[in-house]
Amino acid sequence: MVRSLRAVAVIDLGDCENSSTTSCVSRYAQRRLNGQPLVRRIAGRISESQMVRDVYVSGAGIPTRVLTSGIPGAELLNMPHSHVLERLAAAADRSEAEWVVYLPGNRPFVDPVLVDRLLVEAQRHSECDFVGFFSTGGGWQRMQHLGLAGEICHADSLRRLRRNLDRLTYCEEDACLASYFQDAPGAFQMRFIPVPAELDRADLRFAVQTEQDWDDVQLLSDTIDAEETHWQRLANLVLTNSGLRESMQVRNG
């Protein structure tokens, strides 16, 4: 029998300190959707995971309004002048977790079932450093636009990345974890599993990276209740709206 794993989810708000270099994550993560702070919505969704033990909300220089508003079920981790890799590793240190689920704060429709699917894979392949989804037509890069799951990495592997932070040539705040693992010195075992066939398309996009993405998120949120935003329902809504589908495909490139 495979033993249970200790997993923590980290919703990262990005670098909130420097307005001249504000990332798209921090820009949208601090907004409200249907009257509710977006980060609170994401925390509520990931708390439905069957395998995530703790939830953290991290960021560099998190605004006071976020720090004082309270996010039920989540612990805040404010680390001024830090890089996302340092924040993720710090959450692993605090929680004593074996695996970390990285969720950028611009993913309003994160699906706990998809997250659990990745964690089951990590449980089966504990020798891996990283686990993520991939698309047959767009590789793992397409998953950053899809924005319905996250990336899973082993806590010890995160600590290795943290120690080598000054040696990474690709070190942007908005980068995905897969980019860091591929750029870092040394050998890392990365495992990618196929995204569900219904999501393996170039015309689905749920991460918020532009104002048009935000408009789409508002439209989808107005159409369905928050309790119904499982990935099958979302995908079906987009695929039955040709204008929305074509617009998403253009933005996906």
Side-chain angles (χ1 to χ4, degrees):
M1 180 178 179
V2 179
R3 68 183 180 88
S4 61
L5 78 175
R6 300 194 306 276
V8 60
V10 182
I11 305 167
D12 192 78
L13 306 186
D15 184 355
C16 308
E17 298 174 301
N18 192 341
S19 59
S20 63
T21 59
T22 301
S23 67
C24 72
V25 172
S26 63
R27 184 183 310 124
Y28 294 108
Q30 299 178 50
R31 293 191 178 184
R32 301 176 73 89
L33 186 62
N34 290 346
Q36 181 185 40
L38 186 57
V39 64
R40 184 178 296 181
R41 178 193 180 104
I42 300 172
R45 287 294 286 156
I46 194 58
S47 67
E48 297 174 19
S49 162
Q50 299 298 308
M51 302 185 72
V52 169
R53 185 181 66 178
D54 301 307
V55 178
Y56 281 78
V57 174
S58 68
I62 299 176
T64 302
R65 65 180 182 277
V66 178
L67 291 173
T68 59
S69 64
I71 302 172
E75 182 175 339
L76 287 169
L77 182 60
N78 186 28
M79 295 178 59
H81 314 298
S82 63
H83 187 271
V84 61
L85 292 176
E86 295 174 305
R87 299 191 291 272
L88 294 177
D93 293 342
R94 287 197 183 190
S95 62
E96 298 183 349
E98 292 176 295
W99 292 90
V100 176
V101 181
Y102 170 46
L103 298 170
N106 60 341
R107 309 288 175 87
F109 298 126
V110 61
D111 193 296
V113 173
L114 294 177
V115 171
D116 282 347
R117 189 174 300 188
L118 290 177
L119 286 170
V120 167
E121 194 70 13
Q123 188 176 38
R124 293 172 177 166
H125 298 275
S126 58
E127 76 283 358
C128 289
D129 299 291
F130 172 97
V131 180
F133 284 117
F134 79 95
S135 160
T136 56
W140 55 262
Q141 293 87 346
R142 183 175 288 172
M143 297 300 98
Q144 303 312 304
H145 299 312
L146 186 64
L148 293 179
E151 298 173 282
I152 315 295
C153 56
H154 197 278
D156 289 341
S157 307
L158 267 177
R159 296 182 183 106
R160 285 177 60 193
L161 288 179
R162 179 174 57 184
R163 288 194 297 270
N164 287 284
L165 191 58
D166 60 344
R167 300 174 63 187
L168 297 180
T169 60
Y170 188 79
C171 208
E172 297 179 5
E173 270 280 324
D174 283 352
C176 53
L177 286 184
S179 298
Y180 296 128
F181 276 103
Q182 292 195 344
D183 185 50
F188 292 95
Q189 293 193 49
M190 303 176 68
R191 184 172 183 83
F192 294 95
I193 62 175
V195 72
E198 299 92 329
L199 298 175
D200 194 358
R201 305 175 58 100
D203 52 4
L204 292 176
R205 180 184 177 97
F206 301 106
V208 183
Q209 298 172 318
T210 68
E211 289 300 323
Q212 183 61 58
D213 293 336
W214 181 252
D215 290 342
D216 290 349
V217 164
Q218 291 180 305
L219 173 64
L220 292 169
S221 295
D222 289 340
T223 304
I224 55 178
D225 294 332
E227 292 77 13
E228 297 180 349
T229 55
H230 48 80
W231 66 262
Q232 296 94 333
R233 177 84 164 112
L234 284 169
N236 184 62
L237 278 174
V238 175
L239 297 178
T240 54
N241 185 322
S242 60
L244 186 58
R245 188 177 70 247
E246 290 169 5
S247 175
M248 286 185 173
Q249 183 163 8
V250 170
R251 275 173 278 144
N252 281 341

